[in-house]
Amino acid sequence: MIAIGSDHAGFPLKEEIKKYLDEAKIEYIDVGCYTPERFDYAISAQKACDKVAAGECDKAILCCGTGVGISMAANKVKGIRACCCSDYFSAKYTRAHNDANVLCMGDRVIGAGLACELVEVFLNTEFEGGRHATRVDQIMAIENGEKLY
Ligand code: RB5
């Protein structure tokens, strides 16, 4: 199960991505927003990421104008590794190397065609583990207040 959410600026892109998910028969929960009216991105970020952190959803997809604000909010939720992507390579390797569990994109940055390609590669790329697991553990150690140095 995937959580998907946006603010007003990301709303059109979220709706396009939902069409892709429907066609690909990928199940999702839309946490909003549900109209193009002004809606603050932190609310959708927290709603979607709480579902990932709780294990109710495997991953989340979030959209705002730039993808940046919503990724910043997402990364404040414990257990979340969100990456704002606008290129294929980053979307692939944030899974392979960072074990990212949230993909963020900007409606004002990329088109729906590219966004759906990024979603596809993000959802279909496995974490490589190994030396990358050590680094991801370090990220989570920072989140838990540990000093790495
Ligand atoms: C909304 O105008 C815009 O600031 C927001 O969608 C996002 O781009 C923030 O990072």
Side-chain angles (χ1 to χ4, degrees):
M1 182 65 69
I2 303 298
I4 187 165
S6 73
D7 71 351
H8 57 285
F11 174 75
L13 187 59
K14 172 170 72 71
E15 295 306 300
E16 289 300 319
I17 294 168
K18 279 165 60 183
K19 287 182 201 162
Y20 162 77
L21 295 173
D22 287 337
E23 278 167 26
K25 300 197 184 330
I26 296 168
E27 288 190 315
Y28 60 84
I29 300 170
D30 183 355
V31 301
C33 59
Y34 304 113
T35 74
E37 300 307 309
R38 200 165 78 179
F39 191 91
D40 295 331
Y41 54 79
I43 301 167
S44 301
Q46 191 176 45
K47 264 188 171 179
C49 291
D50 279 353
K51 290 188 183 302
V52 175
E56 191 184 331
C57 292
D58 308 316
K59 295 186 181 72
I61 298 163
L62 295 172
C63 306
C64 68
T66 58
V68 175
I70 207 159
S71 68
M72 288 180 170
N75 276 313
K76 295 295 180 190
V77 177
K78 217 171 164 59
I80 294 304
R81 289 178 300 280
C83 184
C84 178
C85 294
S86 51
D87 70 282
Y88 189 90
F89 190 86
S90 300
K92 182 178 170 87
Y93 282 93
T94 198
R95 282 289 312 128
H97 289 185
N98 313 133
D99 200 15
N101 46 17
V102 180
L103 173 65
C104 303
M105 293 169 290
D107 181 279
R108 296 170 181 164
V109 181
I110 58 173
L114 176 57
C116 292
E117 297 255 328
L118 302 190
V119 168
E120 184 177 27
V121 73
F122 183 82
L123 295 181
N124 291 309
T125 303
E126 293 299 321
F127 178 47
E128 287 177 10
R131 69 186 189 281
H132 303 296
T134 309
R135 295 161 185 163
V136 172
D137 288 346
Q138 289 172 340
I139 296 172
M140 303 328 282
I142 294 173
E143 182 172 274
N144 291 323
E146 293 173 34
K147 278 281 178 210
L148 301 179
Y149 63 93

